[in-house]
């Protein structure tokens, strides 16, 4: 047992509770939030690989002391191998994902503390609670536990939006919750069906039941469970038909909040995507559905981004489009495809956070995110403009930045899988992404400044610029040395591509 | 007859979910929408709890004097009951947040009509 594994969830929860209690004690909030946020990327780096059993114990096969006193009705059956606990698994891929989540969370929290005059304990509570929930989504091997933290993550998302005090935030939050209250019970229903058929909620045990023939894998109830879980996946990650509400949610949060919320969405996307692949990959339909939905997300997300006049909404739609790339990698089902998809996920989280915080400086300076009302800000802060330009290049896949490597891998994987047309679509959409970004960049920084544009905050906090530099360094490191990330993803990709891990 | 109890639970769960989706999608009043959403959640919970039903089963509390093999064979499956308890708590907190948002929106717009408040 590795005690650092549960700490990755417990630390942000404790911090969240403290910040809530200390609401209005500005300096204390700042100190506690910075210190504990710093542990978020450090804990996964320090933790060694292993599993942790919450509220139970290891399978009886690994526990001879306990199994010795039990009746043969239990020890002589498949129950002997089942996991009678909520199991958290921490392997190479989880280490990378949790480090990236911790890094984005740390920087987003840091920026929020320095860009806000009076740091809100409630805002910090929501951010840390979301981080705890998403960390659990990444670690858990229990599908019901996944559902619980899926709901907590959704509530934290709504909380971040509500506390942001952006115009129209309550309306958008309610719409999101109404849709969520339809999608989440359907996800629960899918889990209930799996429980009904297999008698279990542990994912490894469900897979063992299907593989060993204890449960008929062709049972139509399993197909229905797959459909319901996929529906929950679409909602949780903001894939069509939920792409408009997801991008609206980003646009109603403050930029640092949006940077974190998009990370939540992408991690939910890959965590549930991996579960779907692990349990249902033997159903040919599941991979086709993943590819179909991903293509739709790419096309709808990126084309709708062109039409936006609100910066945050535009990045939100671009983020949805980028989700499609990840989904395509997972849907291809090959080891290379899955590695490329997961690598793209890591890159997208960093780049979108980079863009949100970069363009967030505009919002900080002017209080405006409508590109029609902005202009001429290159003169105001050319250093930040350059950083934002590089973030846009990274998203479009310009070498030597990180998304170039992951998109190249994705194109190679699609050719290897005999689907070169997917590669062509990816290239075309990358060009459209570039055009969309350049249009916004030109409108904000290069066109003449409107006469009525008022600069409310002249100086951008140094912490924000530091955060942007850190994001740039991560983009460059992953772009120049992609194996730094892909080495962590080989294990999970090979096991997923080889069938049931 | 005992089997019918489980089937009846499953059908009721299905009916609750369908009624709930209808209310959430087609009714214009925000409170009615929330009631519909509660129906969907309750339907899912009922479905989950029906999964743990065992015809002729006993409550899964191990009492002194019970033979272990007999208990293992006759006790109902406890997992769904534990899960549904968690699910009810989540549902309650989600509903509390939704109702809180609706209160704020009512003060702002003076109406509970979704078409007016949410611009549908």
């Amino acid at each position: 047992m590795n005690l650092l594994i549960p700490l990755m969830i417990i630390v942000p929860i404790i911090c969240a509770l403290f910040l809530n209690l200390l609401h209005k004690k500005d300096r204390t909030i700042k100190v506690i939030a910075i210190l504990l946020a710093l542990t978020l990327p450090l804990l996964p780096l320090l933790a060694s690989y292993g599993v942790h059993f919450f509220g139970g114990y290891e399978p009886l096969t690994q526990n001879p002391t306990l199994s010795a006193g039990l009746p043969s009705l239990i020890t002589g059956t498949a129950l002997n191998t089942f996991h009678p606990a909520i199991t958290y698994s921490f392997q190479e891929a989880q280490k990378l994902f949790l480090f990236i989540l911790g890094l984005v969370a740390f920087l987003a929290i840091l920026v929020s503390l320095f860009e806000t005059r009076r740091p809100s304990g409630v805002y910090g509570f929501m951010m840390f609670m979301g981080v705890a929930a998403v960390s659990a989504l990444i670690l858990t091997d229990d599908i019901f536990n996944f559902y619980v933290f899926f709901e907590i993550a959704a509530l934290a998302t709504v909380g971040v939006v509500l506390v942001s005090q952006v115009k129209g935030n309550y309306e958008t939050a309610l719409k999101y919750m109404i849709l969520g209250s339809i999608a989440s019970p359907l996800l629960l229903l899918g889990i209930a069906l799996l429980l009904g058929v297999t008698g279990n909620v542990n994912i490894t045990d469900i897979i063992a039941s299907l593989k060993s023939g204890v449960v008929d894998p062709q049972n139509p109830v399993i197909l229905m469970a797959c459909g319901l879980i996929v529906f929950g996946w679409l909602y949780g990650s903001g894939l069509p038909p939920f792409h408009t509400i997801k991008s609206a949610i980003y646009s109603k949060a403050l930029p640092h909040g949006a940077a974190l919320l998009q990370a939540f969405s992408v991690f939910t996307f890959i965590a549930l995507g991996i579960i779907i692949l692990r349990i249902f990959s033997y159903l040919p339909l599941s991979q086709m559905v993943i590819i179909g939905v991903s293509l739709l997300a790419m096309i709808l997300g990126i084309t709708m981004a062109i039409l936006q006049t609100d910066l945050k909404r535009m990045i939100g739609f671009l983020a949805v489009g980028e989700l499609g790339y990840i989904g395509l990698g997972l849907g291809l089902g090959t080891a290379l495809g899955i590695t490329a998809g997961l690598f793209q996920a890591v890159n997208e989280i960093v780049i979108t956070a980079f863009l949100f915080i970069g363009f967030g400086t505009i919002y900080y300076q002017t209080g405006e995110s409508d590109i029609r009302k902005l202009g001429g800000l290159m003169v105001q802060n050319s250093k930040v403009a350059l950083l934002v330009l590089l973030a846009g290049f990274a998203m479009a896949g310009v070498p030597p930045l990180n998304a170039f490597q992951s998109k190249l891998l994705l194109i190679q994987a699609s050719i290897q899988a005999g689907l070169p047309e997917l590669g062509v679509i990816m290239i075309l959409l990358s060009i459209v992404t570039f055009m969309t970004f350049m249009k916004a960049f030109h409108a904000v920084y290069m066109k003449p400044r409107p006469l009525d544009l008022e600069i409310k905050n002249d100086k951008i906090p140094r912490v924000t610029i530091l955060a942007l530099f850190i994001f740039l360094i991560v983009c460059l490191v992953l772009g120049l040395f992609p194996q730094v990330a892909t080495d962590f993803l080989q294990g999970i990709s090979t096991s997923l591509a080889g069938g049931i891990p | 007859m005992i089997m019918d109890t489980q089937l009846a639970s499953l059908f009721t769960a299905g009916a609750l979910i369908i009624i709930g989706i209808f209310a959430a999608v087609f009714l214009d009043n925000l409170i009615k929408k929330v009631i519909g959403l509660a129906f969907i959640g309750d339907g899912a919970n009922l479905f989950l709890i029906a999964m743990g039903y065992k015809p002729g089963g006993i409550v899964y509390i191990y009492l002194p004097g019970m033979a272990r093999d007999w208990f293992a064979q006759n006790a109902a499956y406890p997992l769904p009951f534990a899960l549904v308890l968690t699910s009810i708590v989540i549902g309650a907190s989600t509903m509390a947040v939704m109702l809180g948002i609706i209160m704020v929106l009512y003060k702002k717009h003076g109406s509970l009509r979704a078409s007016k408040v949410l611009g549908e």
Side-chain angles (χ1 to χ4, degrees), chain A residues 206-282:
Chain A
I206 290 172
I207 295 163
S209 305
L210 290 169
K211 265 204 102 174
S212 63
V214 173
V215 175
D216 177 16
Q218 301 306 323
N219 189 332
V221 175
I222 293 177
L223 192 64
M224 196 172 166
C226 176
L228 290 166
I229 291 173
V230 166
F231 190 76
W233 180 59
L234 300 181
Y235 163 75
S237 44
L239 289 167
F242 299 105
H243 59 294
T244 44
I245 187 67
K246 201 66 167 186
S247 56
I249 277 286
Y250 297 150
S251 70
K252 298 300 175 194
L254 291 170
H256 30 77
L260 196 54
L261 296 187
Q262 62 82 26
F264 293 172
S265 299
V266 178
F267 280 121
T268 307
F269 177 84
I270 53 173
L272 199 46
I274 288 172
I275 292 174
I276 291 168
L277 276 182
R278 283 181 70 193
I279 302 178
F280 304 109
S281 62
Y282 70 92

Side-chain angles (χ1 to χ4, degrees), chain A residues 69 71 73 144 147-148 151 155 158 162 170-171 173-175 177-178 181-182 185 188-189 192-193 195-196 199 201, chain B residues 17 37 40 44-45 47-48 51 68-69 72-73 77 80 83 86-87 90 94 97-98 101 105 108-109 117-118:
Chain A
L73 188 69
F144 185 78
Y147 165 76
V148 171
E151 285 285 75
L155 277 174
V158 168
L162 291 180
Y170 279 89
E171 287 82 351
L174 185 61
K175 277 186 205 171
M177 288 202 81
I178 289 174
S181 298
I182 297 173
L188 179 64
L189 210 56
L193 287 174
L195 173 71
V201 285
Chain B
I17 291 169
L37 296 172
I40 302 173
N45 287 339
F47 193 92
L48 188 60
M51 292 290 122
R68 277 193 303 198
D69 283 0
Q73 275 173 330
Y77 190 34
L83 302 185
T86 317
S87 178
I90 295 168
T94 308
V97 175
M98 270 198 286
I101 298 174
L105 289 175
K108 188 175 161 188
H109 296 276
V117 175
L118 303 178

Side-chain angles (χ1 to χ4, degrees), chain A residues 283-297:
Chain A
L283 298 169
L285 194 67
S286 65
Q287 284 180 334
M288 280 167 61
V289 167
I290 293 175
I291 290 182
V293 168
S294 304
L295 269 177
L296 204 60

